[in-house]
Amino acid sequence: MPMKLDIKKELNSHSDRVKSVDLHPTEPWVLSCLYDGTMHIYDYSTGTVAKSFEVSDQPVRCGVFIPRKQWIVCGCDDMMIRVYNYNTMEKLQAFEAHMDYIRSISVHPTLPLVVTASDDMLIKLWDWEKGWATTMVYEGHSHYVMQVLFNPKDPNTFASASLDHTIKVWSISSPIPNMTLEGHERGVNCIDYYAGPDKPYLCSGGDDQVVKLWDYQTRSCVQTLEYHEHNVSCVSFIHDRPLILSGSEDGSAVLWNSNTYTNEATIQLNKERCWSASHHKGLSRIALGYDFGTVVIKFGRDTPLVSMDSSGKVIYIKENEASTMNLRSVDISSYGDGDRLPLVGKELGATENSPQSISHSPNGRFVAVCGDGEYIVYTALAWRNKSFGQADEVVWDSGGGEYATRRGSSDIRVFSNKFKERTAVQTDFVAEGIFGGNLLCVRSSDFVCFFDWESMQLIRRIDVVPTNIFWAESDLVALATDQSLFILQFDRTAFETALDQRGGVMGPDGVEEAFQLLHEYPETVTSGHWIGDCFIYTNSNHQLNYVVGSEVSLLNHMDGPTFILGYLTKDNRILVADKSVTITSYALNLAVVEYKTAIIRNDHEEAAQVLQKVPTSEHNKLAKFLEKQGYKEQALDLATDPDFMCELALGLGKLDLAADIAKKDPSPLKWKSIGELATQEGRLDLAEKCMVEGEDLAGLVALGMATGNAEILERVAETSATGKAMNVAFLSSFMLGRVNECLKILISSQRIPEAALFARSYCPSEVASIVEMWKADLRKSGHVRMADLLADPISHAHLFEGYESSLQAEKDNADLMLKMKEVDSDYYPAYKQTLETGIPYENSPDDGKGEVQENGLGTAEPGLDPRAELEEEDDEDEDYIPGEAEDVEDSPPGEEDDDEGLDEEDL
């Protein structure tokens, strides 16, 4: 039966003629060497050009990645070898290597060696650790040498193909060939080694339009494959499948079965001649170079052929050979997250088909292997064949031991746990896939239908197209699509009730109430597993996450694609495997999962019991979970991180508790947050304390100004003046009326021009001295002319009109500030109105009962100008109250006597 290849085109670029391609083994890159002298690195995951190199004005005929050095090595028709760093795109080396066109380059898998082949009929070995010195020259071919390639099973040997009709095998230590394989009637263009352990094979293609398969131990031709109508230009073994690829100048690429030697598939891409091909072990992709561009083809699945039962026994298949590993043979708990487990595989036997999927039965006794349109059920221990048949897919139920098969688009059959066919599923749509679990799921191109295993009755049709479906032991199910993850709950009671009401007849959509959508997440899930009501999964971003309720938690970032095998409850570890079946583990405490599940179910009694089993190290994570669920009080009781505890206390309005937490683990951010909230709630004493502890000088200034507390401003002024917060010190001093201090701050901060302007407005007596300082500073910096242009009120009195008045105002204002220093803040409106307008304030504050309150300088009666009280206390200043009227009651508003003091502008 023909293989099921599932070929998909991942990259289809258009360019000049591509002479060579090479796939990167770890990055999603393909290197294309072009006839126009350039090289491109394509990212086939995005379909874009990642990097481009202008190499030469001559064709680039060959190029390869050297991943362990982050290099590209290429050969051109100008006979030069060039080496580039593909990360920095820097050219590292360029040297003349041959006397004619360079046709091929091969890199030793472990040693710093590169072998090249040329039209000069020579093969050369280069050592890059010796400055790219030539360590050996191999002569023996009588025509162009078209390709060289190291043997992956014996890297000390390599093979060469030549237009002299021969293939030669060489040792790197000898210039004489070990053997010569003859059989092609015309020139040989290409070769490739089989990397599997079972066959010492080598394949070749030539101008005689055939592909030959060689046994290089017996030096005999095993098989000749004929299909192409023109020269065969490239051949490649597909290492993970029993396939051989051949490309020809007739434009076709053929996939041959390496067991039966039959043509499994022919690829026609209409890009004219096919010149080169590349494939790496572990990659389910082939890169092809054509006259009109580069193509990357994906076939099969990226997931490894591996399955694990609930006890930790793993079965995996590589190259049709099944092996088993037992996780109980190692102490998993002694290894950290992401550490590779030192597991040793034990051979079980060979599969009788080319497998594409493998899965354990729910009880772990059997394993179903499916591939090439056939399935076989083996016993897990002895690897004995228990059942087989034709199918494209096999899925198991959730525990009864039954399984279902799909063949084609309409043939779906269900088998009992005795491996006997029990029933068939009749669908009126094209079935593209099936999924097992609590219900049998059949997917079409537009929707998925759920069927009951026992009766095959349609339960519900859902209009999504899942890539995978994961069932929990309960009635929870996860539907993974290309862009989203849906968590649903199956309600069998609702289905059975609806079935009874409808007399056992279901419509085309089933029962809508049978499923309830719980959550939706924007995730592209690649693998998943349920632990109770917790769903763990890997996504396309190489993250290992788990979800309980609506909360998604990140467990770890992976280096590359990984796939979940299962969960070992005893060890509290999640087991994952990569494409090469390297198994690692990650910790996930089961008690944590159970606690979160109990909270989601609103079962706080069970949660309290489970909490006793949760390690203290996990408490803070649970506190964050509780906070997201709205249980802030419980979260505060459970939290261990001081920052998070303080945040919770603030959220609950517990300012004193937050302050206690901040004392034990102080930080400016904590004190600032507490201070802001305390200010909002009017707890100014606590706010001041927080600002002091958090050194929030700006906040203290605002608080001092808002409350009229001069002591706060004085402390801030003193503190900030000794530090670098000169702006805060200036503002504090200014609000206190200490203009001389403001001047000192400006001068000490080298703000002399600003100091001069400030002095002109507030301290005119200091203008002359500061101007002199300004001049000296300008002369020191070389601005002599600018210094000479500055004027001061001593030398240029005519330029400072009203200077004498301003000096008097400065003196009077200083006297007034002394008198007003101890006035109660309740009298601020009175003084403010009087000082600004000169009109006495007639409504002095009282207690509402007609009793006059004291202001600290005596008593104020209603209607009495407060400045009059100041007048009586200080006889020395009785002549000065700005804007004073002789008779307050008789003077009309605004008609003050200008002779009795300074006007408002002068003040």
Side-chain angles (χ1 to χ4, degrees), residues 618-890:
E618 299 288 336
H619 282 192
N620 203 65
K621 296 179 182 178
L622 292 181
K624 292 183 178 181
F625 169 77
L626 289 169
E627 190 257 346
K628 291 181 180 178
Q629 301 302 315
Y631 301 112
K632 291 187 177 181
E633 288 282 359
Q634 295 92 320
L636 181 58
D637 293 337
L638 206 57
T640 57
D641 177 47
D643 292 337
F644 187 48
M645 292 171 65
C646 186
E647 179 184 338
L648 289 171
L650 289 174
L652 293 168
K654 298 183 177 182
L655 298 183
D656 293 325
L657 177 59
D660 292 339
I661 295 171
K663 285 180 183 177
K664 297 176 182 177
D665 187 62
S667 71
L669 182 60
K670 287 194 190 77
W671 288 118
K672 184 176 182 180
S673 301
I674 300 169
E676 289 176 352
L677 190 56
T679 303
Q680 293 175 12
E681 296 187 0
R683 298 186 57 181
L684 301 183
D685 54 342
L686 179 60
E688 180 183 353
K689 178 182 177 182
C690 293
M691 293 174 186
V692 171
E693 293 289 345
E695 298 180 355
D696 184 6
L697 300 178
L700 285 169
V701 170
L703 181 63
M705 292 168 58
T707 59
N709 192 327
E711 292 182 1
I712 295 178
L713 294 175
E714 289 174 359
R715 290 200 304 268
V716 173
E718 294 173 3
T719 303
S720 53
T722 58
K724 296 182 180 180
M726 292 300 184
N727 57 335
V728 178
F730 179 89
L731 179 60
S732 302
S733 299
F734 185 76
M735 296 307 299
L736 290 169
R738 299 174 179 176
V739 291
N740 289 326
E741 289 295 326
C742 293
L743 274 178
K744 292 179 181 178
I745 292 170
L746 290 173
I747 293 171
S748 64
S749 302
Q750 298 300 312
R751 300 280 186 148
I752 298 177
E754 289 91 336
L757 296 175
F758 181 84
R760 181 65 185 92
S761 299
Y762 297 100
C763 302
S765 61
E766 301 291 335
V767 172
S769 61
I770 295 177
V771 168
E772 288 301 320
M773 293 174 61
W774 191 358
K775 289 181 178 181
D777 187 64
L778 287 172
R779 290 190 178 97
K780 185 178 179 180
S781 57
H783 299 89
V784 178
R785 181 177 176 79
M786 191 178 294
D788 293 340
L789 293 174
L790 290 177
D792 65 79
I794 304 300
S795 305
H796 305 80
H798 63 284
L799 296 177
F800 293 82
E801 184 179 351
Y803 180 67
E804 294 298 329
S805 299
S806 62
L807 290 174
Q808 182 62 39
E810 178 185 1
K811 177 181 179 302
D812 294 342
N813 187 62
D815 295 340
L816 179 61
M817 292 303 295
L818 289 173
K819 295 175 182 180
M820 295 180 61
K821 185 176 182 181
E822 299 179 357
V823 178
D824 192 279
S825 61
D826 289 341
Y827 279 80
Y828 172 72
Y831 284 98
K832 180 175 184 295
Q833 177 176 312
T834 303
L835 289 173
E836 289 182 353
T837 66
I839 300 175
Y841 184 72
E842 298 183 357
N843 295 310
S844 299
D846 58 43
D847 60 0
K849 299 179 181 180
E851 296 181 6
V852 179
Q853 297 179 355
E854 292 187 0
N855 64 7
L857 295 175
T859 59
E861 298 179 0
L864 183 62
D865 185 349
R867 290 176 299 173
E869 299 173 7
L870 298 177
E871 231 178 280
E872 294 173 2
E873 289 203 6
D874 192 349
D875 293 336
E876 295 179 3
D877 296 318
E878 62 180 315
D879 293 335
Y880 170 67
I881 293 293
E884 180 188 20
E886 289 293 333
D887 189 346
V888 174
E889 295 182 353
D890 296 335

Side-chain angles (χ1 to χ4, degrees), residues 9 38 66 88 94 128 130 159 163 169 240 287 333 345 387 406 415 428 486 537 559 603 680 719 743 808 861 888:
K9 194 186 300 181
T38 62
I66 305 182
T88 64
W128 68 67
K130 295 180 179 179
L163 293 187
V169 178
D240 298 330
S333 60
S387 182
R406 179 185 68 85
F415 293 79
D428 56 358
F486 301 92
Y537 64 92
D559 294 332
D603 189 348
Q680 293 175 12
T719 303
L743 274 178
Q808 182 62 39
E861 298 179 0
V888 174

Side-chain angles (χ1 to χ4, degrees), residues 304-367:
L305 290 172
V306 58
S307 179
M308 186 182 83
D309 66 11
S310 58
S311 67
K313 292 180 181 178
V314 177
I315 293 179
Y316 64 96
I317 300 174
K318 288 185 177 181
E319 299 172 357
N320 292 29
E321 294 292 331
S323 302
T324 182
M325 296 182 291
N326 193 343
L327 294 172
R328 298 299 182 191
S329 62
V330 297
D331 182 10
I332 299 177
S333 60
S334 64
Y335 294 89
D337 288 353
D339 291 345
R340 177 178 178 176
L341 301 180
L343 300 169
V344 179
K346 177 184 175 183
E347 290 186 8
L348 286 175
T351 60
E352 299 172 34
N353 56 6
S354 296
Q356 293 174 282
S357 67
I358 178 174
S359 59
H360 272 89
S361 63
N363 58 16
R365 294 178 57 195
F366 303 102
V367 176

Side-chain angles (χ1 to χ4, degrees), residues 56-67:
S56 172
D57 57 358
Q58 298 292 318
V60 184
R61 292 189 181 271
C62 53
V64 292
F65 286 111
I66 305 182

Side-chain angles (χ1 to χ4, degrees), residues 516-534:
Q516 178 186 0
L517 176 63
L518 302 180
H519 305 286
E520 179 182 354
Y521 311 94
E523 292 275 17
T524 301
V525 174
T526 55
S527 66
H529 184 78
W530 284 93
I531 309 171
D533 290 354
C534 168

